[in-house]
Structure formats: structure tokens, C-alpha cells
Amino acid sequence: MAAPMYNVFVGAETGLLKGITLKKSQWNNLNAIASADREKEICAMCWDNTDESKVCFGLKNRQVLVYDVDAQSVEDEIHTFDGGSGKFRALAKVEGKYLTAVESGLVKLWDDDEDKNSIEIEAGKDLFCMEQNPQKSHIIGTGGKENELKLWDLQRHSEPIFKAKNVKNDWLNLRVPVWVMGVQFLPGSDKVVTSTGHHQVRVYDPQSSQRRPVLDIEVDEYPLTAISLRYDQDNQVLVGNTQGKMALVDLRNGKVMQVYKGFAGGIRDIKCHPSKPLVASCGLDRHIRIHDIDSREMVNKLYLKSRLNCLLFSSREGENATVNKSEVQKEADVESGIESEDEDVWENLELVKTKTVKKKEKEIVVKEDKVDRKRKKKKKSDKPKEVPMIAKKRK
């Protein structure tokens, strides 16, 4: 039997890496199910190389593992990255070296030979995102909560090469809060697009004289937690929010072109196919969905048993895969044990039973009430009326 070729790789809260073959709507766990642990939650993912033959995934405990797509196994070598605090916000590879970003704002390019040669950047506290420019791998963008967009050159990392400026005060003359949650580099230009926790999509042009956004769009009214460029069309991005809504935004006219349905929970990650009009999304409802960007049709939907954090959409053409039923059952047992605390709460709740009253019984009760009212009225009418006493005048 031919080995399966996976189209999509997804990282779960339980620490399981999942591979999806879209042609047969099937999926498998790619790492050991026995290692499922919330302390090993997969927080970030990236390709190890341009041919997409290896997947790097960063865990909550600050370890990075590598899955070999061709050998279909996780490599034995475990990379541990200390420094800063908090879990991984992003993971990338620059000329064979790991580039990590953590919540505290430390962005570090690690050198395997000598730690002295490692590059450290303090990008600001409450970091939420770090993105590498695919055209210029040494250029990265960072941002976070009350941490404006900054562009850094890893070759000259002492100061950012661009630092965005907040928009002007609102109509009440109040400061507009800053919360950058996603960064993307527009191909063919130096422009950068961001998504924010205050439902804004903004475009910055580092080559222009102004540091404020050249385009500012509001999308719905909930935080935008995921953003991805559309690669088969220029100047279009897809964004997803905490309420399970995904939209296609055209950056030329600043309008929402499409809205996609079918979600049942917050969206955590979105990735578009490198060459086809397809987009993959995952999130809290434990499903991965593949939509056709133009027709808005949901091409595929799979339930993966765990809350999902991040994904990678491969450009490789996948072959048919078979699901190992015993592995799926093992995973169900492990994940049910991990989530038993939540389930026990529901099981211990007292069942409240309610009595249903049929329509006929209701009609009988209503009729009896009417008869009783009529009887009471008759009893009142049978009583003799009292004649008021009138005092006679004396002659």
C-alpha cells in the first residue's frame, strides 16, 4: 500500500500533529498518541525548507520537533529554546537557523555552533505575532497588544527599520487602542498588511513618508485572530475572527468581497493554497474546513477531535490515504482522558425534569375556570341590593 501524501498539517492543543489527505477526506495522527499532553500543546508551525519535505512545530514547553514528510516520522532530535517568557508566538527558518518569537517579546535567531553568534531582538512586551518576509528572509515584522507594527532587518537588528504610528484620535478625541494580531507581506511590493484585535485590517507602506496606515478597514465587530494572503490573486487577504466568521477583503477598494459560512467557533488560523483558489481554516470547534474562495463553497470538512491552533497548507498533490482505525480509537481514548475534567462537571449536574401539559388538559382547565367565574358572578347577583336609608324631614 502506497504511503499517504498529506495536503494539510494541523497542530492541536493536545500536542498531536495531524495530517490530512483531502482527496479521500481522511486524516492520521503523525506523532505518538501516548505523548498527548496539554503541556506539549502545538503553538506554532513552519516549513523546514522550500520543498516542504519537513514540518517544524513548536510546543508549549519551548521544544521544537521536526516531522519528516517523506519518511513519515518525527525525528529523534529535540531542539529546546530558552530565553524570554511565555509560549511560542511564531516559528520560522532563516538560512537553516531557527527564528523564534515568544510572548514576552524576545525574538531570537539561534546559531547551533555558537550561542554568542545568536541574534536577539526585544520587539516589545505582549507580542502576538511575528512574520517573515518570504521574498527577503532577513526582514521580519512584529506586533502585539499596545505594541505597534515594527519591521526589523536581522542583518542590522539594533533598531527597527520601520515603526508604525498609531492612527489619529477618534471623533471623541480619544486615543485608539493598538492590538496587532497578524502580519503579512504583500508580494511584489514593500507594503505590509496587519489584522488587529479591534477588527481592523490596515495596510502600511514603509517607502512612503507617513508611518500611519495608508488603508484602514473595519471588518465586522470582533477581534481578527487570523489572516492569510491570497496567493492566486493580488491585493486580497482572508481574515477570521473570534466569532467564527471568515471574510475576503480586497485591499484595492477597501471592501469585504466575500463572507464564508459554516463555522461553529473562533478561528485560530487561516492558510491559503500557494497556487489554487482554496483556503484552509481551523479553530476552537475542532474542525478543519476547506473553502473555495471564489464560489464560497465548503469543499471539505473534517472533525479532528481536538481544539486546533495552527496549520500549514502544502502545495504538494496528495495521494489517497487510509485511516488506521485502531489509532483513531486510541486517540479518542487519550483525548477523552485529557478532557475528563470538563466532562465530569456536566455529568455531576442534577437533572431537572419538567412536566409537559397536553393541549386537551389545558382546555379542560380553562373551561373549569370559566364556569367557576360565572358561578361566582351569579352568587353576587342573587344577593338583595341594599336600599340606602333616607332621613325624613321633620315638619
Side-chain angles (χ1 to χ4, degrees):
M1 183 180 294
M5 184 71 74
Y6 301 110
N7 307 102
V8 184
F9 297 89
V10 187
E13 273 190 1
T14 53
L16 294 175
L17 179 68
K18 300 169 186 288
I20 294 99
T21 304
L22 297 178
K23 285 188 176 181
K24 284 237 171 176
S25 299
Q26 295 175 343
W27 61 274
N28 284 325
N29 290 309
L30 305 181
N31 52 349
I33 297 174
S35 64
D37 186 359
R38 290 197 183 277
E39 290 302 315
K40 296 181 180 179
E41 171 186 356
I42 299 177
C43 303
M45 297 172 64
C46 72
W47 297 113
D48 183 76
N49 42 40
T50 54
D51 60 0
E52 301 177 355
S53 61
K54 292 183 179 181
V55 177
C56 306
F57 53 102
L59 310 181
K60 186 179 178 180
N61 59 6
R62 307 288 287 278
Q63 292 180 346
V64 175
L65 304 178
V66 179
Y67 175 79
D68 192 318
V69 177
D70 297 327
Q72 298 205 351
S73 63
V74 178
E75 294 182 356
D76 296 332
E77 186 178 3
I78 299 176
H79 307 273
T80 303
F81 301 104
D82 299 323
S85 61
K87 60 185 181 181
F88 286 125
R89 286 299 190 186
L91 185 67
K93 293 295 287 288
V94 180
E95 297 177 354
K97 301 176 183 178
Y98 282 103
L99 179 66
T100 61
V102 294
E103 286 180 351
S104 62
L106 178 65
V107 178
K108 190 168 182 178
L109 181 64
W110 298 83
D111 195 318
D112 295 335
D113 298 332
E114 296 182 12
D115 191 57
K116 295 179 180 178
N117 295 334
S118 298
I119 297 173
E120 291 187 4
I121 296 173
E122 286 293 340
K125 63 179 182 178
D126 289 332
L127 190 72
F128 268 76
C129 59
M130 185 273 290
E131 188 69 25
Q132 182 184 21
N133 189 337
Q135 299 171 338
K136 302 174 183 178
S137 61
H138 60 280
I139 302 295
I140 61 171
T142 62
K145 194 169 186 178
E146 295 304 329
N147 186 354
E148 269 288 9
L149 169 70
K150 300 181 187 73
L151 300 183
W152 305 84
D153 189 342
L154 297 176
Q155 298 173 353
R156 295 178 287 109
H157 59 276
S158 57
E159 293 291 333
I161 58 176
F162 174 80
K163 184 177 180 180
K165 188 177 181 180
N166 195 11
V167 296
K168 295 180 180 179
N169 292 354
D170 61 12
W171 63 281
L172 289 173
N173 200 29
L174 297 175
R175 177 184 174 276
V176 178
V178 175
W179 193 356
V180 181
M181 298 194 75
V183 179
Q184 292 286 301
F185 291 86
L186 293 177
S189 71
D190 294 320
K191 292 181 180 180
V192 182
V193 58
T194 66
S195 59
T196 75
H198 302 290
H199 58 89
Q200 300 133 343
V201 174
R202 292 171 173 170
V203 179
Y204 296 86
D205 189 358
Q207 299 300 321
S208 67
S209 58
Q210 65 172 348
R211 293 187 293 138
R212 288 193 171 103
V214 296
L215 180 66
D216 191 353
I217 312 163
E218 289 194 355
V219 180
D220 206 27
E221 53 185 13
Y222 300 102
L224 299 176
T225 51
I227 183 171
S228 175
L229 292 174
R230 181 177 179 179
Y231 298 104
D232 65 318
Q233 291 283 345
D234 295 332
N235 296 305
Q236 288 186 354
V237 296
L238 285 108
V239 293
N241 65 18
T242 56
Q243 297 297 308
K245 292 185 180 178
M246 187 170 69
L248 175 67
V249 180
D250 194 319
L251 302 177
R252 290 167 292 191
N253 53 24
K255 293 183 179 179
V256 176
M257 305 298 294
Q258 304 272 23
V259 176
Y260 303 86
K261 299 180 180 180
F263 302 94
I267 299 172
R268 284 188 170 172
D269 200 8
I270 293 173
K271 289 291 188 298
C272 291
H273 192 276
S275 59
K276 296 180 181 179
L278 297 174
V279 57
S281 59
C282 67
L284 296 178
D285 64 356
R286 310 177 187 211
H287 287 83
I288 182 166
R289 295 174 175 84
I290 311 295
H291 282 86
D292 186 296
I293 299 176
D294 295 324
S295 67
R296 296 184 295 176
E297 179 187 357
M298 189 187 298
V299 179
N300 216 318
K301 175 182 174 182
L302 289 171
Y303 178 63
L304 303 186
K305 299 181 180 290
S306 305
R307 292 197 291 186
L308 310 172
N309 288 338
C310 47
L311 65 90
L312 292 175
F313 205 157
S314 175
S315 59
R316 292 184 170 189
E317 291 294 331
E319 301 294 335
N320 296 342
T322 57
V323 176
N324 189 331
K325 294 183 179 179
S326 61
E327 290 292 316
V328 173
Q329 184 59 41
K330 285 181 184 178
E331 185 210 2
D333 296 339
V334 171
E335 294 185 354
S336 62
I338 292 174
E339 297 171 4
S340 60
E341 294 180 2
D342 296 336
E343 293 176 358
D344 290 342
V345 174
W346 294 103
E347 290 176 358
N348 294 331
L349 289 176
E350 184 180 353
L351 181 63
V352 179
K353 295 183 178 180
T354 57
K355 185 178 180 181
T356 57
V357 181
K358 294 181 180 180
K359 287 185 178 180
K360 291 183 180 179
E361 293 178 358
K362 285 184 177 180
E363 291 175 0
I364 293 169
V365 172
V366 171
K367 287 180 181 178
E368 288 178 354
D369 289 343
K370 287 182 179 180
V371 171
D372 292 339
R373 286 175 187 173
K374 287 180 180 179
R375 286 176 182 173
K376 288 178 181 179
K377 285 182 180 180
K378 283 183 180 180
K379 286 179 180 179
K380 288 181 180 180
S381 61
D382 292 342
K383 290 182 180 179
K385 293 182 179 180
E386 294 181 357
V387 179
M389 298 293 293
I390 301 173
K392 293 182 179 180
K393 292 182 181 181
R394 291 183 182 180
K395 293 183 179 179

